[in-house]
Amino acid sequence: MVPVFGPQIPTVTVPEINDQTYLLDVREDDEWRAGHAPGAHHLPMMELPARLAEVPTDRDVAVICRSGGRSAQVVAYLLRNGWEQVSNVAGGMDDWAAAGRPVVGSDGQPGRVL
């Protein structure tokens, strides 16, 4: 199968993400509130251009959304703007939850993926 976004978008699978990875969640506020990965950093996709300085350039950054489409666009944008250590999380939060990784809501209780 040929990747939808082509081979130029680096990808990482959920099992490859470790505690040293900066996990950047680019979903909308309501999606984040419903459920996100503990320790993830929330920066909605549309706010990225104004908040680029918040994304580290000195460590691995894994970008995640619900299924991998929006995050692939963000990875392409970051690569065009000088980031080198950035990857798209294959399958997004859907795969995160399916892999049994924790999902928490904004209230700290177990969350769900929207």
Side-chain angles (χ1 to χ4, degrees):
M1 175 166 47
V2 175
V4 175
F5 297 100
Q8 73 277 13
I9 301 297
T11 54
V12 62
T13 63
V14 169
E16 293 174 303
I17 297 170
N18 61 46
D19 291 340
Q20 286 71 49
T21 305
Y22 186 94
L23 186 60
L24 179 63
D25 191 322
V26 296
R27 297 174 303 146
E28 296 299 319
D29 290 337
D30 60 329
E31 294 173 291
W32 170 264
R33 283 191 301 271
H36 57 271
H41 303 270
H42 186 222
L43 199 170
M45 179 179 173
M46 299 313 287
E47 295 179 22
L48 182 67
R51 297 173 58 188
L52 269 178
E54 295 177 35
V55 182
T57 57
D58 61 347
R59 61 192 277 203
D60 289 335
V61 175
V63 184
I64 196 166
C65 66
R66 183 179 49 81
S67 62
R70 288 173 285 179
S71 52
Q73 293 175 49
V74 168
V75 168
Y77 181 83
L78 291 172
L79 288 169
R80 286 193 308 270
N81 283 278
W83 272 255
E84 295 175 359
Q85 297 174 252
V86 61
S87 306
N88 184 35
V89 179
M93 284 299 297
D94 288 340
D95 278 15
W96 182 274
R101 292 280 188 107
V103 177
V104 296
S106 290
D107 59 2
Q109 298 300 309
R112 60 190 176 92
V113 177
L114 290 184

